[in-house]
Every structure is written in C-alpha cells, then in structure tokens.
Amino acid sequence: MSAAEQTDVLVIGSGFGGAIAAYHLAAGGAKVEVLERGPWLEGKDFDQDYLLGSSYTKVFDFVAGDGMSLLGGNCVGGGSVVYFAALPRAPRFVFERHGGIGRRMWPAMIDRDALDPWYDRVAEAIPARTQDWNDVSYPGGLWAAACAHAGHTANPVPVGIDTATCTNCNWMMAGCRFDAKRSLLFNYLPAAIAHGTRIRPLHEVQYLSRTDDGGYRVHYNVIDDEDYRVTVGGGVIDAKLVIVAAGAGATPVILQRSEPHLGSMPHAVGRYFSGNGERLNTAVFDEDRVRDVLGLTGPGGRPYGAFQVGKGPTVACWDYLDGSRPEYSRFSLEQLYFPPGLGTILAQAPGADAPTFFGVEKKKMLDQWRNWLIIFQMTEDDNEGVFGPPPPTGNAVRISQQMLGRGPLRYNPTPNTLRGWAEADAACKDILERDGLAKVAPWTNDLVGAYTVHPLASCRIGDDPATSALDDRHELRGHPGIFVTDGSAVPGALTVNPAMTIAALAERAMPGIVEAARRRGIEVSYGAPAPDGSTAGRRGVRDLLPGLVRG
C-alpha cells in the first residue's frame, strides 16, 4: 500500500449529506476529497432498459437483510440520481414523535420552525417547486379523482424537476436521460468541484483508524467498474475531519468495522434503524368503472390504461397527516410508478388466499398491467432495525456483479409498526375499492421481508446518549472530528419522502462542522450561498453567521 495522501476533509459518499458538506467546506477554503463507491454517470449514460450491466443495475444498491430489504443509490450523486425527486417537508408533528423509546426522539433544539430556514436554503439550490395540475400525470390524476370520490383531498407533490424539460418517459428512477431531474449533479456537486473538491468514483471506504496527530486515516478499496465484487486497488487518505455520508445502510457498517481501530462506538450505531414505515399497495382498475364512476375518458375508449405513462409521484393524499391522530395512525398515501422487475414479483393478486408470485391469478393480474396504480404508503414505525456484525468488505456480501447483496440488517416489525401498516392499507383499500373502481392488495413481505427506498436513523442525532449515536451537531459521540450527515442521522420515520429533510439537516449541521474544522486546524469559513445550477458556487461567499465567515 502506498503512503497515505493528505487532505483537510474526507467525505464518504456523494448523496445529499455528502454533497452539501463537500460544497460548504470547499467553498469555505478547505481541501476536500469525496470517496464514492459507485460510478460517475450523467444524462447521456442513463439507459432506458433493465439489462444487466446497463446503468439501471450500476446505479442501484439492493441489499436483502433479515426481515427488511433496502434499495438505495450507488453512484456519484447518490440517491438524488435514482429517486423520484419528491421534496415535501416533514409535518410538524414528526419532530415531537416518541416512537419506541417513549420520549421525544428529536433533539430539543430541532422542530419544524427551527428547520424551516434550512429547508428554504435547500429549495434555493435544487430548486424545489410545487407542481400544478397541468403537470400531473394521468395516473396522478386518476388517484386524485379516486380520492375526491371517496371524500378525501389530494395534492400535487413538490418536486425538484424542470417540468419544461421532462418528457414524461417515466424512467426517472433509473436516472434522468434528459436532465430534467435536478439531482445533485446540477447544483451542490458541480459547485463543490468549482471550489476544488475532488470526487473519486468506485472508491469504497472500508474503515477508519486514528493518526498520530489526532486526525483520521480512511481506508478504501477501488472496485471494478463492471463487477463490483472485484477489487482492483486500494489506499488510505489522512484527514483532519471526516464526514460519513454513505447512506443509512452503509454508514453504520463502516463505523462498526472501524471500532477495533477507533475504540468503542456509541451504543446506537447500527441500531434504531427505520424504513420510513414504507409499504406499497397495487390497485388493478376496472376500465368501465373508471369511466362510469369517475367520468374519465381517454383515447380509443380506454379511460386509464396508463400505468407506464408520466413520471414518478405527482399526487399525494395527506389527509392522514394530522397531528391530533394517535402516533402510528399518521401516514401519507402517494401515487407512485415503480418500474417492472422485482415490483412485478412482489405485487400480489387482489383477493388471493396466499402470496401469488405465479399462477392463474397472478397471470390474470399481469395481463392487466396497464391498469395498475401503485400507492406508496409512508407510515410511523418503531425504529426496530438492528445491524449485526459487518461483512468482510463493503456494506453487504455481493450476490451478483452489480446491484444485489446480502446485508447484516435484522428487522422484526413491532405491533405498533404492523398497526400503522394495517391502517394505511385499510385507508388505501377504502379509497380505491369504492363503487368497484379497483381491487387492491399490499405487496408481500414473504420474499424479501419489508422493504424501503428511504432507509433512515441507523446513526441518529438526539439528546440522549443511550439512544442516539450523534449529538445535535451531528458529531459522533466519543469521536471528535467525525460527523454523519446522511439519512442515518434522521431520528425516525418522517411519513413523507425524506430527501428534503435529510438535505435541510445537512445544511443546518454545516456551521457547527465548520467551527469544529477550525478547531482542528483547518483554515475554513462558513457563508457560501446556496448554489443554483452549476455556477453559483463560483460567486464567492457572503455573511451568514457571525464568527464563521472569512475575515
């Protein structure tokens, strides 16, 4: 192994938490290196197919655990490249949740009012906008009409999408070929690069150790760009400060593997994992009832038949996000397009007596695939996930050359979580089965357990050292100079898509991280504006908080 390289700040991961940290620290004058385990792709590289070896399998990380499976990003830009760009803010009641610990999970300093200015900062950078009804896809309109028929409201979802550029191809989850989705590739990351940040794709961090001068040594493997099971090199980088932002399914694994080298980790590292309470239902619509009950008509006499047309989530029902409702009874119901593949297997034939992976009932359902509508439910769970001993390398034992792995997460849903899922299932069924509009069934948990595309809370912030790995400044307890800024820092389920909250928390953490960096001998200041597009990071800094700006 060659001699260690040197940098001021080493950022692990390039999703929301990593990109925001890299930008602000580099803009403030620090030397920043970013290690990203996935490839670096851009619009022209995103394929619109499901072939092995295409961008579709390269940019996802699907990890099957015991009782829970995780789907996350695996590329420069992380989850921002492979999400549906839904950017709602968390409801006010979320910050007062008690969850399974019986007392407030969030730090006392953070509530919705305290986080709103940081939400605003993110909205300037991405930018986030609320769609109007002219932007809503046909499936979104169908969901809105069904909600109205059942006496519920429906709302267009705020998104980070240039709707003028969007072609409604519905391949957004696999990376936007038309650059309509305003992922981190168009704001924080290019702004960080403009200030000297170096991003290294296909660099998978294994563990951290200490250096003699009180800093940290980051040990990484370089992985093959076609077969992620193959290591083609490795090295170490010494840094005065480390930002861990590898995602809630990888950050705790890196820290657990670092324990023999750094000393004891906080009890909460790898515990209290939340799948954001997520669950999926599939409705199969009756064309005649759509026309007769809802009055919707379409070309060729087919009022719906549009499962694959449009874009990800465009409409949500937020009627159940009422803070006066009991905990575990609050959830959102969001229309979603989930691409064929694993989703086709997990979608169950309504009315079947047992899980229907195949057979006559499933074949009939598949024949009607154009009339499907998937409803994405985000509920309140009990943070019951626990990570076991880490695998030999990476965050999972890879099963295939790309995408698939077996990870150390154990998840056994509590009665509270099960009740939340059941109430959301019942609400979905009540709305969509009225007057024979559709037949609805939840996806099965029998094959891969529960599943989440928004893993959270495996190294969460909090005031209680017994139940939180990080303090309210996102610093790892007992390990000064290590900070965590990704979804693993979020204390628990949010009942809405979490990207905006993850990003806002990362923005909020930055002034304190800059202050800590200065105490560790890094010449850095805070005050860079939120980047808008790819050029704002070149325009210098302005005063934001006294005492942290460049003199």
Side-chain angles (χ1 to χ4, degrees), residues 485-511:
T485 56
D486 58 16
S488 64
V490 177
L494 299 173
T495 69
V496 295
N497 313 74
M500 193 70 168
T501 300
I502 295 170
L505 286 172
E507 281 278 6
R508 177 190 171 275
M510 289 318 302

Side-chain angles (χ1 to χ4, degrees), residues 232-549:
V232 297
V236 296
I237 301 177
D238 288 352
K240 298 175 183 176
L241 186 142
V242 175
I243 308 288
V244 189
T251 287
V253 178
I254 292 170
L255 294 178
Q256 287 175 328
R257 193 182 289 118
S258 302
E259 191 166 31
H261 311 279
L262 296 180
S264 296
M265 286 290 138
H267 172 78
V269 168
R271 290 181 171 85
Y272 304 109
F273 172 88
S274 167
N276 202 32
E278 291 174 0
R279 190 163 170 83
L280 290 158
N281 276 225
T282 299
V284 182
F285 275 84
D286 182 308
E287 288 282 357
D288 292 335
R289 301 306 290 162
V290 170
R291 180 182 59 249
D292 297 343
V293 175
L294 301 180
L296 298 181
T297 59
R302 294 181 61 85
Y304 182 44
F307 174 60
Q308 80 281 22
V309 178
K311 49 183 172 290
T314 58
V315 174
C317 175
W318 291 322
D319 288 359
Y320 298 91
L321 297 182
D322 179 352
S324 67
R325 292 172 64 89
E327 194 169 5
Y328 307 104
S329 297
R330 300 171 295 200
F331 50 84
S332 59
L333 302 173
E334 187 175 84
Q335 159 266 330
L336 178 70
Y337 171 75
F338 201 96
L342 185 64
T344 304
I345 298 171
L346 298 180
Q348 297 298 290
D353 295 330
T356 49
F357 301 113
F358 50 84
V360 175
E361 293 168 311
K362 187 62 175 283
K363 183 177 187 301
K364 182 179 179 181
M365 182 186 182
L366 293 175
D367 288 342
Q368 298 172 284
W369 70 271
R370 291 179 180 83
N371 292 350
W372 288 12
L373 182 72
I374 291 178
I375 303 301
F376 186 36
Q377 302 164 189
M378 288 166 278
T379 73
E380 295 171 300
D381 66 7
D382 246 347
N383 291 76
E384 49 264 80
V386 178
F387 283 80
T393 63
N395 65 308
V397 176
R398 295 202 176 272
I399 298 170
S400 63
Q401 68 183 52
Q402 295 170 8
M403 190 174 180
L404 298 178
R406 181 76 184 177
L409 176 65
R410 301 189 309 275
Y411 189 88
N412 184 21
T414 67
N416 285 331
T417 298
L418 293 172
R419 177 163 58 87
W421 288 347
E423 290 199 23
D425 287 347
C428 188
K429 189 178 185 71
D430 176 64
I431 292 170
L432 292 174
E433 292 194 348
R434 289 201 181 198
D435 296 319
L437 277 176
K439 292 183 178 180
V440 184
W443 284 20
T444 180
N445 288 0
D446 291 9
L447 184 62
V448 294
Y451 27 79
T452 180
V453 296
H454 298 134
L456 302 170
S458 53
C459 292
R460 64 188 186 178
I461 55 174
D463 291 332
D464 180 5
T467 58
S468 59
L470 316 171
D471 62 25
D472 63 13
R473 298 175 303 116
H474 291 246
E475 192 166 31
L476 184 66
R477 298 184 186 279
H479 301 275
I482 299 177
F483 291 83
V484 175
T485 56
D486 58 16
S488 64
V490 177
L494 299 173
T495 69
V496 295
N497 313 74
M500 193 70 168
T501 300
I502 295 170
L505 286 172
E507 281 278 6
R508 177 190 171 275
M510 289 318 302
I513 291 176
V514 167
E515 188 175 27
R518 291 174 66 166
R519 289 198 302 267
R520 299 181 72 81
I522 301 173
E523 294 185 9
V524 61
S525 60
Y526 179 79
D532 57 349
S534 60
T535 60
R538 297 175 172 85
R539 295 206 286 262
V541 298
R542 60 178 174 80
D543 289 349
L544 185 63
L545 294 178
L548 288 177
V549 295

